């Protein structure tokens, strides 16, 4: 069974631009979560999607948004990029997103904002 | 609010030596606890998890962890470390019941000397 895939793996943008990251979950998984990992703040939960609906959201500004498609693939978008948005963005999928499910992580997208 | 503390930023051990990584949590009830490993350039991989029952939990790659309620700890152990264990290790706590929204510790970087 293929794992979680994220595209692109690396991205360089400039301040003020917007970016879209993509995540394809493991087949059969309906929950997709996004995380931001930075040296300063560590790993932080961004949001979780289940059945095309955002079910949970972390403490991030509205510039961070996402969506999920009917095939469970998910995208996250960051508008008006700031230098502090430079991070590794991780996507994880699980069957239904319950705390008892096992989350499987993708390799991440490394975003650099110049 | 839930929180996780990993007191050791770096730990250095010799190959073949035993390992213990510390994790302390703060949560109002019995938490769901997790240990993840992240190799360079990779996403997170779940090593083990504790929900209830036996307080000594066995995981993959020869790791185990012990939940101690009195000390609010969930330390990760391995009797004999291999060079391939060099990685970043994250402890996480998730609220009981409902969706999985983890809070991660800042991580412990494990260095293995030959």
């Amino acid at each position: 069974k293929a794992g979680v895939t994220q595209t692109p793996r690396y991205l360089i943008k400039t301040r003020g631009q917007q970016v879209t990251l993509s995540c394809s979950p493991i087949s059969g998984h309906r929950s997709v979560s996004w995380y931001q990992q930075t040296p300063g703040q560590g790993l932080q939960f961004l949001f979780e999607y289940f059945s095309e609906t955002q079910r949970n959201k972390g403490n991030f500004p509205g510039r961070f948004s996402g969506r999920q498609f009917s095939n469970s693939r998910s995208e996250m978008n960051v508008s008006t990029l700031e230098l502090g948005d430079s991070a590794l963005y991780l996507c994880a999928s699980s069957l239904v997103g319950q705390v008892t499910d096992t989350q499987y992580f993708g390799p991440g997208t490394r975003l650099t904002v110049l | 609010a839930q929180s996780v503390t990993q007191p050791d930023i770096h730990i250095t051990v010799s190959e073949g030596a035993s390992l213990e990584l510390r994790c302390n949590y703060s949560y109002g009830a019995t938490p769901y606890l997790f240990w993840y490993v992240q190799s360079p350039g990779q996403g997170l991989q779940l090593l083990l998890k504790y929900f209830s029952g036996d307080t000594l939990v066995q995981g993959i790659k020869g790791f185990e962890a012990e939940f101690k309620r009195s000390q609010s700890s969930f330390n990760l152990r391995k009797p004999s470390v291999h060079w391939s264990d060099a990685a970043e290790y994250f402890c996480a706590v998730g609220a009981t019941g409902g969706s999985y929204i983890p809070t991660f510790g800042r991580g412990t970087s494990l260095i293995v000397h030959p």
Side-chain angles (χ1 to χ4, degrees):
Chain A
K1 193 183 264 192
V4 178
T5 58
Q6 292 187 245
T7 56
R9 291 292 309 277
Y10 301 91
L11 207 49
I12 299 175
K13 293 286 187 179
T14 56
R15 277 182 301 173
Q17 288 186 309
Q18 74 166 13
V19 66
T20 299
L21 313 180
S22 181
C23 172
S24 293
I26 290 172
S27 177
H29 285 190
R30 294 165 60 196
S31 169
V32 174
S33 296
W34 289 88
Y35 299 86
Q36 182 195 64
Q37 185 176 23
T38 61
Q41 299 298 319
L43 267 161
Q44 294 183 283
F45 172 81
L46 277 159
F47 32 64
E48 183 235 357
Y49 284 85
F50 178 76
S51 292
E52 303 179 62
T53 301
Q54 186 181 89
R55 188 163 61 175
N56 295 288
K57 190 177 190 305
N59 189 26
F60 278 82
R63 300 186 297 107
F64 291 82
S65 62
R67 59 178 175 168
Q68 187 179 35
F69 302 94
S70 58
N71 61 358
S72 294
R73 189 177 70 85
S74 177
E75 290 180 346
M76 69 162 281
N77 184 77
V78 187
S79 63
T80 318
L81 284 167
E82 300 177 0
L83 294 178
D85 297 333
S86 294
L88 180 67
Y89 289 88
L90 293 167
C91 162
S93 75
S94 66
L95 282 171
V96 292
Q98 291 296 302
V99 65
T100 50
D101 288 348
T102 294
Q103 275 199 332
Y104 295 87
F105 283 78
T109 294
R110 173 75 62 186
L111 172 64
T112 302
V113 181
L114 303 177
Chain B
Q2 58 198 44
S3 67
V4 176
T5 302
Q6 293 181 246
D8 304 304
I9 298 174
H10 302 283
I11 282 196
T12 301
V13 299
S14 298
E15 192 170 14
S18 63
L19 171 70
E20 182 169 30
L21 302 182
R22 296 184 290 164
C23 171
N24 293 99
Y25 68 89
S26 173
Y27 184 68
T30 300
Y32 289 1
L33 295 162
F34 307 81
W35 273 101
Y36 292 89
V37 62
Q38 185 178 33
S39 298
Q42 300 297 316
L44 276 67
Q45 181 182 22
L46 179 68
L47 287 173
L48 49 77
K49 55 190 176 184
Y50 171 79
F51 293 157
S52 64
D54 193 348
T55 56
L56 186 62
V57 181
Q58 301 298 319
I60 62 171
K61 305 186 180 191
F63 286 93
E64 67 177 26
E66 186 171 12
F67 170 62
K68 293 185 177 180
R69 183 191 305 274
S70 61
Q71 299 176 19
S72 297
S73 70
F74 188 57
N75 294 348
L76 183 70
R77 300 193 295 246
K78 186 170 185 178
S80 178
V81 170
H82 188 262
W83 63 266
S84 60
D85 293 324
E88 191 87 13
Y89 290 81
F90 294 92
C91 181
V93 61
T96 52
S99 299
Y100 180 49
I101 307 173
T103 298
F104 290 90
R106 297 305 298 271
T108 297
S109 177
L110 174 64
I111 301 163
V112 180
H113 280 170

